[in-house]
Amino acid sequence: MSSTAEKRAPTLSHSPFPSQRVVSVHHWNDRLFSFRVTRDPGFRFRNGQFVMVGLPAAGPETKPVMRAYSIASANYEEHLEFFSIKIDDGALTSRLQHLQEGDHVLLSTKPVGTLVLDDLKPGTRLFLLATGTGLAPFLSTVRDLETYDRFEQVILVHCVRRSADLAYRELLTLQLQEDPYLGEMVREQLRYLPVVTREPFVLGQRIPELIASGTLTRHLGIGPLDPAKDRAMLCGSMPMLRDTQAALEALGFEISPSQGLAGDFVIERAFVG
């Protein structure tokens, strides 16, 4: 890491969380953006986990505004990257979307989460099923060597409303294939399937409907979903999680019962309630 990144960022006043400096911001469109921040040299996490990200209180109150954000960068990268929606009246994103290089954000120091490979039973195919910014944890998963060691095929399905919302598409279709360490495995084992529901597109059904109808695997030209060999990770909106879980369970898949216990599929339990 650079000498700047190696220095621990100061803790902002009235906050128990240390801060990290913003090194870049990218606006995908009027609803989505991503940002990278410095990484404390002692910070460790497992691909698929999340941390609390926030900003100091805007008013006289002393409690900072914090929200859970999956880490989109891989655990070996120099910076931490996050993928966010923009909500004009949101308690956090109304301010977070205006970040600029050099600004500071608050970051919790204990990563947690259930979207980790260890909570899946052994299998041959891994389905990463995401809607919207639920793509974030899987951006780290597909850059994890262990993912390709454990599974023969990795299928990443990203479902959005508009084609303009297919963030990171170039990374997933081009850049990863040229990665000096992962490129060969990505070309042979990773398949990326974009889905758009509110514009004309090749696939326009929601993920649970694609699963229930069998369209998902038929479109990919692979065998039907099979709980004996297939595993899945789910991240997205509450309706997506609920309906996709039901679609998988109807096919005989069993969810990981709790963190640390392996199942046929996992969801991010912290976002369910």
Side-chain angles (χ1 to χ4, degrees):
M1 293 187 182
S2 67
S3 59
T4 300
E6 289 173 354
K7 296 178 182 179
R8 183 182 294 273
T11 299
L12 300 188
S13 59
H14 307 305
S15 171
F17 302 103
S19 72
Q20 297 295 333
R21 179 175 53 85
V22 176
V23 298
S24 66
V25 181
H26 180 77
H27 293 271
W28 298 97
N29 55 32
D30 60 340
R31 293 200 298 263
L32 299 169
F33 72 106
S34 56
F35 58 98
R36 291 180 182 176
V37 304
T38 52
R39 177 178 176 177
D40 188 294
F43 182 80
R44 299 289 182 268
F45 68 96
R46 298 160 70 190
N47 291 316
Q49 290 186 313
F50 69 89
V51 291
M52 302 300 292
V53 177
L55 294 168
E61 64 270 25
T62 59
K63 188 175 181 180
V65 181
M66 307 289 291
R67 295 290 184 271
Y69 273 82
S70 294
I71 304 172
S73 46
N75 58 8
Y76 51 78
E77 293 188 85
E78 180 178 1
H79 299 111
L80 299 176
E81 184 164 348
F82 301 95
F83 182 31
S84 178
I85 194 171
K86 301 177 185 179
I87 304 176
D88 290 337
D89 59 353
L92 179 59
T93 58
S94 60
R95 300 168 57 202
L96 203 63
Q97 64 182 289
H98 299 297
L99 283 176
Q100 296 183 9
E101 183 178 342
D103 290 343
H104 282 78
V105 298
L106 305 176
L107 212 67
S108 64
T109 57
K110 185 179 179 181
V112 291
T114 52
L115 293 176
V116 293
L117 293 175
D118 287 347
D119 282 359
L120 290 174
K121 296 177 183 177
T124 57
R125 301 190 302 194
L126 174 62
F127 289 81
L128 305 173
L129 308 174
T131 56
T133 55
L135 176 69
F138 303 147
L139 293 170
S140 65
T141 304
V142 298
R143 284 181 276 188
D144 190 337
L145 286 169
E146 185 182 354
T147 302
Y148 301 100
D149 287 339
R150 288 189 54 175
F151 297 95
E152 296 175 10
Q153 277 191 306
V154 181
I155 297 102
L156 172 55
V157 182
H158 187 205
C159 182
V160 298
R161 294 178 178 181
R162 305 183 308 172
S163 57
D165 296 332
L166 290 169
Y168 294 95
R169 194 175 185 180
E170 184 175 345
L171 169 71
L172 295 166
T173 57
L174 297 174
Q175 296 174 11
L176 279 183
Q177 295 189 17
E178 302 304 320
D179 185 279
Y181 301 105
L182 294 172
E184 183 177 354
M185 288 177 287
V186 168
R187 291 190 295 271
E188 293 179 356
Q189 296 171 251
L190 178 64
R191 299 190 67 177
Y192 164 67
L193 184 63
V195 180
V196 178
T197 59
R198 297 193 181 181
E199 291 179 353
F201 203 74
V202 177
L203 284 179
Q205 291 179 298
R206 297 173 63 239
I207 289 175
E209 295 164 355
L210 293 173
I211 292 173
S213 66
T215 301
L216 176 61
T217 51
R218 284 198 302 271
H219 180 82
L220 291 166
I222 59 178
L225 284 167
D226 182 355
K229 64 179 181 179
D230 292 327
R231 304 293 171 252
M233 292 181 165
L234 284 57
C235 192
S237 66
M238 291 293 295
M240 175 271 193
L241 295 176
R242 179 193 64 231
D243 296 345
T244 305
Q245 177 176 343
L248 288 173
E249 289 177 340
L251 295 175
F253 286 80
E254 296 182 353
I255 191 171
S256 165
S258 64
Q259 191 168 359
L261 296 177
D264 300 326
F265 69 99
V266 293
I267 63 175
E268 184 44 78
R269 296 180 180 277
F271 304 146
V272 178

